Amino acid sequence: MDVFSKENLPRPPGIINSIKAGFDLIANNITAILFPLLFNLFLWLGPRLRMDALFNSIKGDVVMIWKSGGIPAEDITRAMDLYEMVIPSINLFWSFRTFPVGIFSLYLPQESLLTTPLGAPVVWQVGAAGLLGWIFLLTFLGWIGGGLYFRSVAGLARVDKDAQPLSVFRALLQTILVSVSWGFLSLFAGLPLFLILAVILQFNSFIANLFVLFFGIVMMWLVVPLFFWPHGVFLKKQNAFSSVMTSLQMTRFTLPTSSLFIMTVFLLSFGLNFMWSIPPEDSWMMLVGILGHSFVATALLASSFVYYRDMNAWLQSVMERLKLNQPKRA
């Protein structure tokens, strides 16, 4: 007899059942995949926004500055070779993919995608004056698109379908607050650790690898409590700060199960992305991969809302049962 039977407590929601419920929701509401579908199609067939012309215009000045700083010629050559390989493959339109609220995409910024079934894509070059403006504009539009996307999927997971849905204005406002807070938190936590790693690399690579392992474990402990930060906003209509407290409270009592759920979602998404990327980008078969990615990514998002909804309901039920079972003081 387990602890749930001894205390007459309900069992927590299952991970597999939550994922299955999410897939069923999207299968019955297939239009929910339109946001990632259209975004993926744009990244695949649309124009490229690149900055290699900007890099080429300042490359000589950068090399001169590095030489005057005493950097060895071999290191400069190695860095330039790396930049010349990476910079031309960056599509700045990927900035539209925002975190933690955003529209999921199949393509990463380092993927070149130099050809499509329609031929060579149009390439737009960004100048020094417009670089930050483009990034800011795309990020802001990404927040808007991500907020609408999360709002639509969360609406499918609501138990009370007749309840007033979260207003578009509130969804967008709280999306921006969550995203900006997440950005500052990531910068505050990540920048010092990366600086420490850079210093350690100067002395011992083995210790640096151990530090990376430790850093990964720490990040896992940070990501799990914050993973459900947006869910309270879109499912319970909380503000950004109340939502993060709800997420922290939920994962405090359900850390093993919630960690396993997040890991399952990550492995499914990450593993299937390899399959979706098998067709060459100049083949119309890539459309199959885009459709598959859009469906699975949206279904996994719906699963996370289902898991969050059911786990919070389970926690509330358990707390009420425990209060009733507590012996009364004389």
Side-chain angles (χ1 to χ4, degrees):
M1 183 178 295
D2 57 28
V3 65
F4 300 106
S5 300
K6 289 179 181 178
E7 300 292 339
N8 195 28
L9 298 177
R11 290 185 175 276
I15 294 174
I16 301 301
N17 289 337
S18 298
I19 293 177
K20 179 180 180 299
F23 275 77
D24 289 342
L25 278 177
I26 303 306
N28 293 326
N29 300 272
I30 198 63
T31 55
I33 74 171
L34 283 178
F35 280 98
L37 177 62
L38 294 176
F39 186 29
N40 279 321
L41 287 174
F42 177 79
L43 291 178
W44 179 36
L45 301 175
R48 310 291 189 258
L49 185 62
R50 303 204 318 218
M51 59 178 182
D52 45 308
L54 172 61
F55 171 75
N56 291 332
S57 67
I58 64 173
K59 182 169 60 175
D61 296 331
V62 171
V63 171
M64 289 181 59
I65 293 174
W66 285 352
K67 286 181 178 180
S68 63
I71 298 178
E74 296 81 4
D75 292 342
I76 295 177
T77 301
R78 192 180 302 113
M80 284 296 107
D81 291 341
L82 178 62
Y83 288 147
E84 289 175 358
M85 179 179 64
V86 173
I87 295 296
S89 66
I90 294 178
N91 182 6
L92 291 176
F93 280 124
W94 195 82
S95 302
F96 189 80
R97 171 64 174 107
T98 54
F99 296 91
V101 180
I103 302 175
F104 301 122
S105 63
L106 180 58
Y107 300 121
L108 298 178
Q110 66 266 23
E111 294 178 339
S112 58
L113 296 176
L114 297 177
T115 182
T116 72
L118 301 177
V122 176
V123 175
W124 297 340
Q125 293 288 347
V126 62
L131 178 60
L132 292 180
W134 269 108
I135 293 176
F136 177 81
L137 175 62
L138 290 171
T139 301
F140 183 76
L141 293 176
W143 289 339
I144 294 176
L148 296 176
Y149 176 49
F150 271 54
R151 176 180 178 270
S152 66
V153 176
L156 301 177
R158 283 190 294 110
V159 175
D160 187 2
K161 303 296 184 182
D162 296 327
Q164 186 71 20
L166 180 68
S167 69
V168 172
F169 175 77
R170 182 176 175 82
L172 299 182
L173 175 62
Q174 296 305 318
T175 294
I176 294 173
L177 289 176
V178 170
S179 300
V180 171
S181 301
W182 175 273
F184 277 113
L185 183 62
S186 301
L187 184 64
F188 179 78
L191 185 58
L193 292 174
F194 280 115
L195 292 176
I196 294 172
L197 177 61
V199 173
I200 296 175
L201 279 171
Q202 300 297 320
F203 297 97
N204 191 296
S205 59
F206 177 74
I207 297 178
N209 288 330
L210 291 179
F211 180 80
V212 170
L213 178 62
F214 172 76
F215 176 67
I217 295 173
V218 171
M219 287 303 296
M220 185 64 185
W221 280 91
L222 291 176
V223 167
V224 171
L226 298 178
F227 181 84
F228 298 100
W229 187 352
H231 292 61
V233 169
F234 294 98
L235 206 57
K236 302 178 74 172
K237 302 181 183 179
Q238 296 176 327
N239 61 49
F241 304 104
S242 299
S243 182
V244 71
M245 297 306 298
T246 302
S247 178
L248 292 172
Q249 183 181 21
M250 188 191 85
T251 52
R252 172 190 171 192
F253 293 103
T254 65
L255 185 60
T257 306
S258 295
S259 299
L260 186 57
F261 173 81
I262 294 171
M263 186 177 298
T264 302
V265 168
F266 173 78
L267 291 176
L268 281 173
S269 177
F270 187 77
L272 288 173
N273 277 353
F274 284 103
M275 185 173 70
W276 309 137
S277 302
I278 289 176
E281 60 268 19
D282 59 351
S283 169
W284 286 110
M285 284 300 295
M286 177 59 75
L287 185 59
V288 177
I290 288 176
L291 286 168
H293 169 269
S294 302
F295 176 80
V296 171
T298 306
L300 291 176
L301 177 62
S303 300
S304 69
F305 279 113
V306 170
Y307 177 85
Y308 178 87
R309 177 198 69 194
D310 294 345
M311 185 59 78
N312 274 283
W314 175 79
L315 277 176
Q316 184 177 358
S317 176
V318 166
M319 294 300 178
E320 291 174 355
R321 294 280 186 94
L322 291 177
K323 287 181 181 179
L324 290 175
N325 292 338
Q326 284 181 351
K328 297 182 179 180
R329 296 181 179 179

